[in-house]
Amino acid sequence: MEGDVKKFMYLNRKAPYGTVYALESLEVVLIGAAFDQDVSLAFVDDGVYQLANNQTTTPNDGIGMKNFSPTYKALGDYDVTKLYVDQESLEARGLSVDDLMPLTYEDEDDDWAEKPSIRVVSREELTNIMDEQDVVLSF
């Protein structure tokens, strides 16, 4: 299978701030995408907070991290268009798709139509999608 593009999924389980996992995952995703990997992301457990709309951090909030959430809006520019969010994780945290950032990409195969990158899926659907990947990295 030499020459085939491997499918990489980055599984995000941690809240966006308080640890470096979310930021490191995002950095690795961007690097992989820059090298034409077939990249997708999954957000489960507290990882769903990474896509929450209207995130803010301030120098005095004790978090000690800059708000990096605007970087998710650049994913479409790197052809990272498959973001899967676990429905059960959203519901358990009192969130819905309306609480998430409106992330989109331009579909060159559809006359550059703007399409949503985020797809909310059941845990069973996510398991099936994960089974189709060549590599799954958990953060």
Side-chain angles (χ1 to χ4, degrees), residues 119-131:
R119 184 170 154 215
V120 177
V121 295
S122 69
R123 187 136 316 151
E124 181 180 346
E125 286 175 291
L126 185 55
T127 299
N128 292 336
I129 294 165
M130 289 174 67
D131 285 345

Side-chain angles (χ1 to χ4, degrees), residues 89-101:
S89 295
L90 279 178
E91 290 173 358
R93 287 151 184 84
L95 300 173
S96 73
V97 70
D98 294 332
D99 296 308
L100 304 179
M101 288 183 266

Side-chain angles (χ1 to χ4, degrees), residues 7 13 53 62 66 96-97 120 126 131 136 138:
K7 293 181 179 181
R13 296 181 171 277
N53 212 359
K66 181 180 177 184
S96 73
V97 70
V120 177
L126 185 55
D131 285 345
V136 177
S138 183

Side-chain angles (χ1 to χ4, degrees), residues 25 28 46 110 121 123:
S25 171
V28 172
D46 285 345
D110 190 11
V121 295
R123 187 136 316 151

Side-chain angles (χ1 to χ4, degrees), residues 2-134:
E2 193 172 312
D4 288 343
V5 175
K6 290 194 180 279
K7 293 181 179 181
F8 286 80
M9 174 174 274
Y10 297 88
L11 182 62
N12 296 277
R13 296 181 171 277
K14 306 284 186 188
Y17 306 103
T19 68
V20 297
Y21 292 109
L23 179 57
E24 285 184 352
S25 171
L26 185 56
E27 289 175 346
V28 172
V29 164
L30 291 171
I31 291 167
F35 287 97
D36 295 325
Q37 289 180 352
D38 181 351
V39 174
S40 61
L41 291 95
F43 298 86
V44 300
D45 303 328
D46 285 345
V48 299
Y49 290 124
Q50 293 179 30
L51 298 180
N53 212 359
N54 301 318
Q55 295 179 36
T56 58
T57 62
T58 62
N60 299 322
D61 62 11
I63 292 174
M65 292 180 74
K66 181 180 177 184
N67 179 6
F68 60 87
S69 65
T71 308
Y72 288 103
K73 295 179 181 174
L75 290 175
D77 296 335
Y78 287 83
D79 292 326
V80 179
T81 61
K82 297 174 284 194
L83 281 65
Y84 302 101
V85 177
D86 176 55
Q87 177 72 43
E88 289 87 344
S89 295
L90 279 178
E91 290 173 358
R93 287 151 184 84
L95 300 173
S96 73
V97 70
D98 294 332
D99 296 308
L100 304 179
M101 288 183 266
L103 301 179
T104 60
Y105 70 99
E106 293 178 337
D107 187 348
E108 65 182 282
D109 296 328
D110 190 11
D111 200 24
W112 301 101
E114 194 169 277
K115 297 186 176 178
S117 297
I118 295 175
R119 184 170 154 215
V120 177
V121 295
S122 69
R123 187 136 316 151
E124 181 180 346
E125 286 175 291
L126 185 55
T127 299
N128 292 336
I129 294 165
M130 289 174 67
D131 285 345
E132 295 171 1
Q133 306 304 308
D134 294 306

